Amino acid sequence: MLMITCPVCGAEGDETDFHCGGQAHISRPASTDPHNVSDDAQRDYLYIRNNPKGLHREMWMCARGCGKWFHAERDTVTLEFKSYYGITESAPPSSSPNPAASKTTKKKSAGR
Amino acid sequence: MSGQPYRLPANVGSGTTGRILDRSRRIAFSFDGKSLSGHPGDTVASALFANGIRLVGRSFKYHRPRGVIGSGADEPNALISVGESGRHEPNQRATQVELYDGLVSKSQNNWPNLKFDIGQINSKFSRLIPAGFYYKTFMWPQSAWMFYEHFIRNAAGLGTAASEPDPDTYEHMHATCDVLVVGGGVAGLAAAQSAAAAGARVMVVDECARLGGLADSSSGLIESSPQTEWVQSTVSTLAAAENVHLMTRTIAAGHYHHNWCLLLERVTDHDPSLAIQGAPRHRLWKVRANQIVMATGALERPLTFANNDRPGVLLASAARIYVNRYGVSPGRRGVVFTNNDDAYQTALDLTRAGVPLARVVDVRTDPRGELVEEARAAGIEVVTGMAVTNVDTVAAGAKIQSVKVAPYKAGSRIGGREERIECDFVAVSGGWNPAVHLYCHTSGKVKFDEDLQSFKPDRSFDQITPVGAANGTYDLDGLISEASNTGAAVAKKAVGSKVKRSKSDRPLASSPKAGKLEPVWFVPATGALNEGNKHFVDFQNDVTAADLELAAREGYRSVEHIKRYTTLGMATDQGKTSNINALGVLTGALQSAIPQIGTTTFRPPYTPISFGAIAGTNAGNRFLVVRRTPPYEWHCENRADFEPIGQWRRPYCYPKPGDSRHDAINREILSVRNEVGLLDASTLGKIELKGPDAAKLLDRVYTNTFSTLKVGKGRYGLMLNEEGFLMDDGVTVRLADDHFLMHTTSGGADRIAGWLEEWLQTEWSDLKVYVTPVTEQWAQFAIAGPNARNVLENLDGDIDFSADSFEFMSMKVGRLTGYPVRAFRISFSGELSYEIATPSNFGHSLWLALLEAGENHGIQAYGTEALHVLRAEKGFIVVGDESDGTVTPLDLGLGWAVSKKKDDYIGKRSLERAYLAAPKRKQLVGLLTQDPQEVLPDGAYAVAELKDKPPMEMIGQVTSAYWSPTVGRSIAMALIKDGRNRLGDVVDFPLDNGKVVKATIVDPVFYDKEGAKQNV
C-alpha cells in the first residue's frame, strides 16, 4: 500500500486515495498534426508502454483530495517515490539515469 | 465427563509442568460429540492430548488418520471446526484454539466418522492417485468433468462453511507507530524495550494469548534466571509504558509496500461471552509503521521417514511445549529422533517431567553439543549414527506400537542391523526454519544458510529488520544483543532520538553451546515392503517424497511448477512445515542444491484471516452507499419495484395490487403511447461546463460539433474513448455562450466528469473550462405522451410550451407552479416529451404537482423497464446494452452524429484504423422472431449455420429484447455481422436449452418510423 503525497494540495494518503494514470509524458499525435498520424504512431500512443525496472515517470490523481493530476517519479524496484512535479511540467533530468543503479538504493524513510 | 489420563502432575521432581494452566478449574468441551474436560489455559490440542485423544482428523487425499504435529500456527493436521450454527468456523488449528467452557469442536474430512472413514480406501489405491492425478485424469472428455467434479468436491474439502448468518460483529482499526514489533518472544520484547527506551511509539503484536514466545521451552538463562522471569518483568515494564501498545492474540497477517501491515486481532474467540456482550469478534488493524522489527521466530521442521504421519509423531518442540506449558504428556513412552541439538532439550524436559523416554536417536555419528552431554549426564539413552526408518502401528494406523531404527550414513543411506523400539510417540526435529514470511511479502529476499540448512532474510527495500530466530540467530545472548541493538537503531531512524547505549543496557544471557546440525532430507525405509511406505513431506496436502520425485522425473524443474503440480505447500498452512524438506528431497531428484532450486513465493496472509474481519462493518445495509432520488418516498408509497443502477435505486415499474410486473410494464408503456406518463429521470448524469473554451472542449470530446449550437438549443452527442469505441451519449444544451449543460448516462456521470477533468488537466491545460458535476443538485422528470403539453399547460408558470414557441431539442428557463425550472423538449420515447429539471429540494413537490396536473389526462408514473421498451420500439440505443466497449457509432448506424469536418476529437484517428473502418463488422439491426410471442433472451447468439451441437460460427448477439405492447409482438435489437446488408434474412439463435429461435433481420425502428408522434 503505497504512501503518496499530493504535490498540489499537500494531502498525504494511501494509494487507494489516489488514482494512477499510468506512464506519463506520452504525447498524443493527433493533438499536433491530426491529419498525419501513421497507424504505427497511433498504435504506439494507444498501447505501447514501458515496463522499466527502476525509474518510472507516471501520472497520479488526488482522487479523494483536490482532484488534481500530477506527475511522479517512482522506482519500480524499491517502490520509492523519488519526486513529484506538476502535470504540465516536462520530465526532470533523471536523478539515476541507469535504472539498475537504483537496485541498491536505500530508502530514507518509509513511504517517501 | 471423562478424566484426563495424560495430564501430568503440576510438580514433578525439580520442575513444574503446565505453567499456564489453572488446574483449580475444570472446563467442559466436546469433540465430535464426546464430552471432555480441560483446564483454563488449554488449547483444544492440549486438552485432546490430556484426554488421550490422538486421532484428530483425516488427511486430505488418502484419508489417513492424523494427529497433532505442532503447537502453533504451523499445524498442518489438526484442523477442526469450532462453534455451532452461525458461529461455526471450519479449518481452525486445534493448536491455536483456546479452550473455553462449552466449546464445541468437530473433526473434518471424514465420512461417516473419524474412526471409520470410507475415504481411507484411497490409501489402498494410492498408487493410482499420483502427483498431478487430477490433471492427468480429468482432462478428457470435457463433458465428464461435471461428474468428476461432484466426486472431488465430496471427497475433498476442509470442513464446511457455516450455513447461518454470522451473528458476530467485526471492525477495522487504523493506526500508525514508529516501530512495530512483530512477535513477542524474547527477541521481540528485547527490541521493543530498547525502542521504547529511545522514545519511539512502539506496537508489539503476538499471535499467542501470552507474550514470551518459546521462553518457557528453550534452553538458556537470562541474568542467570529462567527466561520466563525476564519475560515477566519486561512485559510489565512495557505494559506500564505510555509509548508502548502490547497486543496479544494478534497475527501480523501481511506486510505490504511502504511498511503497511495488516493485523488480525482475535478479540472474543477465546471467550465468546465477550461477543455476546457486544465486543467485536475480530479487529482488522491497518498499521502504517515507520519501522518494523520482525521477531517472528522460527518453525521447526519434521523429518521425512516412512509413515512419519502417524498420530503420535510430533515435533520435538511441540512435545516439550505440551509438557512444560500445558502439563500433558504426548504419550506413555517416547523416542526422540533428531539431526540437531535442540531436540535434546525435549529429551531433558520430558525426562524431568517423568515422561518415559526410550531413546534419543541421532543421525549424527558424534554429536558433542552441551545439551547432548547434559542429556547423557541425566541418564538418557542416546544412540548416534542411527535413524528412525519406519513406524509400526495398530488400530488401522491410528496408534503407534513401535519404531524401527537402523544405522544411518550421510546421503540418506541405511544399512546394518535394524532394531525395534517400543514406544507410542516420536518427537522429531529436522532443524529450524526462520519464519521469514512477512519479510518476503513485499520485496524481501532470502538466502540459504549452509550451517542452519535453512533460508534466512537477506535484503529488503522496506523498513523491516529481522531479529533473533527469524534472522537465524538462535544463540540466546546473541539474539538478545541483536534484538536490543536493532530496537535502538530503528527507533533512532524513526524518531531521530540519540540515546547513549552501553553494553549494560541489555540483559546478559547464556545458553548451551550447540553442535552442528546434519541435513537429513529423506530416510529410506528398510525391508521388503519399502515401496508401500509413504514418506510424507506435506502433511496437509498428502504430498510424499515419492510424489516430488515423480514430478521431477516427469520433467518439472521449477519449484513453483512442482508446487502446483503436486499441491505441495498449498492450503491453510502454506507449507510451513513442508517447504524446506521438499526442497531437500528435490536436491536429490533434480541433482541440484537448495539455493539453486530456490523457494516458492510467500504470500499473505501468514495464517488465514476471517472474511468477517475483511468485511468489517461494511456488511448488510452498510455494504454499499444507496443514492435516492428526491421523490424516493413517493416511489416507496406507490409500490415501486426498485432496481439498482450503480448506487442508485430506481423504480423498475409500479405494480398495482394484483398486477404482475409484466402487467405493470405494459400498462405504463401504453399510458405513454396513448395518454401521458411521468418518469423520474433524476439519476441522469448532469455536468455543467463553463468558461470561454467550453464549446471548444465539447467539440473535442463529442464526435459531432457543439460550437455551432445556439443558446437555448440542445444536441445529441456521442462520446468515444481514444480507441474509437462508444462510451457515453446524451443531450447537451447551451445555457449561454460560455455555459453548457451536459447530460450523460446515469451510470456514466461520475466517470465522464473525471474523464473531462483528465483531458483538461493532462492534455488541454490551455483550455479555460470549469467542469462541475451537478447530477444530485437537480431533480429531473420526463413528461411523455400525447397529453404531455396539456399537463404542463395546466400548471401556473411563465413558460410557453406550445409547439411554435417550444421547438424540439430546445430548452427554456422559467417557473412552473412556483418552482424554478429548466425545461427541455427532448424525447427518449418518440412521444411528445418534455423533461423538467428543478433544484433537488423542490423535486418531491414538483413531482406531486405534475401528477396532480395530469390526473384528468390519465397520467401514470412509469419505471425504467417501460423507458427501455419505449426507446427500443423507436430503435434508440442504450450505451451498455447496444454497445459493449467494442462498438463504434458506425456499427450502431449513428454515422450521422459523427462529424467528417472536424480535424480532431477523441477517438477520431482510431476510427480510421483498418479494423474499425472495415466492412462487415457487426452492425445494429432489428429482429422479428418468427413466433411473435417468443421473446429472445438478451445475449442470445446468432449462428452462421445451425448444427447439431457446438461449435457453431457465431455471427452476432441480441443486445435488447422485449415484448412490445405497442406493436403487439416481440421485438429485439442485435449486433449482426454485416447486418445492414442482410435485411430480410432469417437467422438462427440456438438457446441454452436446445431450442432454436428463428428471427428475421429488420430495420431497428419498430414504431413511428417517420417520427410523427413527437412532431406535434
Side-chain angles (χ1 to χ4, degrees), chain B residues 708-911:
Chain B
T708 54
L709 192 67
K710 295 199 166 43
V711 172
K713 299 289 179 193
R715 189 166 286 166
Y716 175 69
L718 298 173
M719 214 180 274
L720 307 186
N721 60 22
E722 223 9 355
E723 278 101 341
F725 298 122
L726 182 65
M727 68 177 218
D728 207 78
D729 69 344
V731 171
T732 290
V733 293
R734 191 162 202 165
L735 302 171
D737 262 355
D738 63 345
H739 193 183
F740 290 81
L741 170 64
M742 172 188 282
H743 287 124
T744 71
T745 56
S746 293
D750 301 338
R751 192 164 35 87
I752 300 300
W755 166 255
L756 297 173
E757 272 293 341
E758 182 176 350
W759 283 94
L760 280 172
Q761 291 184 35
T762 65
E763 183 69 22
W764 299 317
S765 52
D766 55 318
L767 295 189
K768 294 192 170 94
V769 189
Y770 284 113
V771 174
T772 314
V774 295
T775 303
E776 292 185 337
Q777 275 61 46
W778 295 87
Q780 189 155 325
F781 310 127
I783 301 100
N787 298 340
R789 187 175 288 139
N790 301 336
V791 173
L792 292 167
E793 285 174 345
N794 252 1
L795 291 166
D796 290 338
D798 55 4
I799 297 172
D800 182 354
F801 288 100
S802 68
D804 293 343
S805 158
F806 204 152
E807 292 175 351
F808 185 56
M809 294 304 270
S810 63
M811 68 91 62
K812 291 188 179 195
V813 177
R815 300 188 84 79
L816 198 60
T817 183
Y819 302 115
V821 298
R822 286 171 175 173
F824 311 92
R825 188 169 165 196
I826 49 183
S827 179
F828 196 42
S829 57
E831 296 298 324
L832 172 64
S833 168
Y834 298 87
E835 291 201 9
I836 309 291
T838 191
S840 289
N841 287 349
F842 305 128
H844 190 214
S845 308
L846 179 64
W847 175 266
L848 296 178
L850 287 164
L851 283 171
E852 199 187 329
E855 211 171 347
N856 296 330
H857 298 287
I859 200 164
Q860 292 203 25
Y862 65 102
T864 52
E865 186 62 5
L867 165 85
H868 279 108
V869 179
L870 288 160
R871 64 89 199 177
E873 290 173 343
K874 286 291 295 173
F876 295 148
I877 64 145
V878 166
V879 172
D881 282 358
E882 275 61 57
S883 72
D884 62 0
T886 66
V887 173
T888 71
L890 299 115
D891 298 337
L892 297 174
L894 297 171
W896 56 268
V898 178
S899 165
K900 289 169 191 67
K901 292 185 201 146
K902 286 196 291 182
D903 287 338
D904 187 22
Y905 54 83
I906 298 170
K908 179 178 163 66
R909 177 60 185 82
S910 290
L911 281 182

Side-chain angles (χ1 to χ4, degrees), chain B residues 99 131 135 138 195 229 266 482 493 525 610 648 650 911 969:
Chain B
L99 206 64
Y135 301 113
F138 300 126
E229 285 179 19
R266 292 174 288 116
E482 177 180 279
K493 275 199 206 172
S610 62
W648 292 105
R650 293 192 72 181
L911 281 182
R969 57 156 299 136

Side-chain angles (χ1 to χ4, degrees), chain B residues 618-682:
Chain B
N618 303 324
N621 58 11
R622 285 181 300 276
F623 177 65
L624 191 69
V625 174
V626 173
R627 297 166 85 181
R628 301 185 172 107
T629 62
Y632 184 80
E633 294 302 319
W634 187 91
H635 298 323
C636 294
E637 286 160 16
N638 288 274
R639 291 176 299 275
D641 190 345
F642 287 99
E643 71 167 335
I645 310 276
Q647 293 168 336
W648 292 105
R649 291 289 172 276
R650 293 192 72 181
Y652 177 82
C653 61
Y654 303 85
K656 294 197 165 153
D659 267 3
S660 68
R661 277 180 149 199
H662 191 67
D663 295 336
I665 293 159
N666 288 343
R667 173 174 47 71
E668 291 167 17
I669 292 165
L670 292 174
S671 102
V672 173
R673 291 281 178 236
N674 300 327
E675 294 176 294
V676 63
L678 182 64
L679 174 80
D680 181 3
S682 304

